[in-house]
Amino acid sequence: MALKGFEDFEIVGVDVSEPTVRYASEHGVASCVTANALEVLPRADVVILCMHPRGIVDFMARYRDDFKAGCLVTDVCGVKTAIMEGAEVLPEGVDFIGCHPMAGTEFSGIEHAFPEMFQRSHLILTPRASSTAEHLALMERLADHIGCADVVRTTPEEHDAILAYTSQMMHIIAVSVCDDPMLFTCKGFEGSSFRGCTRVAALDVGLWTQLFSMNSPALLAALDRLEDNLHAYREAIASGDREALAKKLDYSASRKRKMDLSGPDLLE
């Protein structure tokens, strides 16, 4: 939807779900839609894979010989190392650039899509050494067209380590808070901090099961650090030393103030 009017491309939507294809057709989501990937893959100049991570890897393996020679294949997945490794099955001459737009909502399904979703978001790219300058430039123009604030290039490994902290750990915190027995007794007492913290807990279980498991080494390292930090705060509170607690709070608050985090309040 955000890609409408992008240069002279014809946008073709592909999905195996009949209700999704019907909705896309009825609402003009793309120039045309189909349930058969083989109808369009051999003539597609750009292929954007928007599935769960395991589905992306399996799709590339299944259709490796059906992509158009010289085409660009990219994705929107929240893990990059596993996806980039999966892309190794693609034949020479098919370019792959890993991509992760830092935008979305906690709601799943095409009926929750809207074209402004990417406004002011970051678009992260993890190109291969063989990725062409032409295709990288195309991805930057695409990011500008859909309204992204900027484009960030990095390695798959760095992406996964950082996203384990900035995204996946935040979801673990949210679902953990929702496991507390106080959850259903707090209505009428919750404020914006509680709503903000728990919003992303209403996640797509299948998707986030794969994201957590396929990035488990980096996520476990982030959770180990979180446990250490939580324990340090517990110790400071339990000690009864208000001066020490205030000093620790001041340290954390000052670090947050150094971060100028602009952008939409949307789920990754």
Side-chain angles (χ1 to χ4, degrees):
M1 296 166 72
L3 284 170
K4 283 186 178 181
F6 178 58
E7 300 184 357
D8 58 350
F9 283 93
E10 175 190 7
I11 302 171
V12 181
V14 180
D15 200 289
V16 296
S17 166
E18 193 276 333
T20 297
V21 170
R22 184 175 64 250
Y23 183 98
S25 179
E26 292 173 351
H27 292 81
V29 171
S31 304
C32 62
V33 292
T34 179
N36 185 2
L38 286 176
E39 289 183 3
V40 291
L41 273 183
R43 59 188 179 91
D45 297 295
V46 180
V47 180
I48 305 176
L49 302 175
C50 310
M51 295 170 282
H52 289 187
R54 181 52 58 190
I56 292 174
V57 172
D58 292 344
F59 186 94
M60 290 189 291
R62 178 180 179 182
Y63 294 105
R64 64 177 308 275
D65 296 321
D66 299 306
F67 292 95
K68 180 179 179 180
C71 77
L72 167 64
V73 183
T74 187
D75 73 308
V76 296
C77 187
V79 292
K80 292 272 76 83
T81 302
I83 297 299
M84 299 297 289
E85 290 174 351
E88 292 300 317
V89 302
L90 297 175
E92 186 177 354
V94 174
D95 197 358
F96 186 89
I97 298 176
C99 176
H100 183 194
M102 297 295 292
T105 75
E106 66 269 35
F107 302 108
S108 301
I110 191 172
E111 65 274 15
H112 296 294
F114 54 97
E116 300 81 14
M117 182 179 294
F118 306 100
Q119 293 291 324
R120 298 183 292 121
S121 65
H122 306 295
L123 190 79
I124 303 174
L125 299 181
T126 58
R128 297 196 289 195
S130 59
S131 293
T132 69
E134 176 187 1
H135 284 154
L136 285 166
L138 186 151
M139 290 299 296
E140 291 181 348
R141 297 196 307 275
L142 183 151
D144 182 68
H145 181 83
I146 65 177
C148 293
D150 54 22
V151 175
V152 180
R153 297 190 196 181
T154 186
T155 65
E157 296 78 13
E158 183 176 44
H159 169 279
D160 289 354
I162 294 175
L163 267 294
Y165 168 65
T166 64
S167 177
Q168 294 169 8
M169 188 174 74
M170 300 302 119
H171 288 73
I172 293 290
I173 292 171
V175 293
S176 298
V177 169
C178 289
D179 288 345
D180 194 286
M182 291 291 290
L183 180 65
F184 296 108
T185 63
C186 75
K187 285 189 175 180
F189 296 85
E190 80 283 0
S192 60
S193 59
F194 180 86
R195 291 191 294 271
C197 175
T198 58
R199 178 181 62 83
V200 297
L203 45 70
D204 179 329
V205 173
L207 170 62
W208 286 92
T209 297
Q210 291 190 27
L211 290 173
F212 290 160
S213 61
M214 294 174 77
N215 196 32
S216 59
L219 179 55
L220 289 172
L223 291 176
D224 287 342
R225 299 194 304 270
L226 175 64
E227 287 184 342
D228 290 342
N229 291 330
L230 287 172
H231 182 72
Y233 263 105
R234 192 191 189 286
E235 290 294 299
I237 294 168
S239 71
D241 187 339
R242 289 189 294 179
E243 183 177 346
L245 176 59
K247 184 176 180 180
K248 183 163 181 57
L249 285 167
D250 181 66
Y251 172 77
S252 301
S254 65
R255 285 171 60 83
K256 166 59 180 174
R257 293 188 186 102
K258 289 179 181 178
M259 293 286 287
D260 181 16
L261 297 179
S262 60
D265 184 21
L266 293 176
L267 174 66
E268 295 82 27

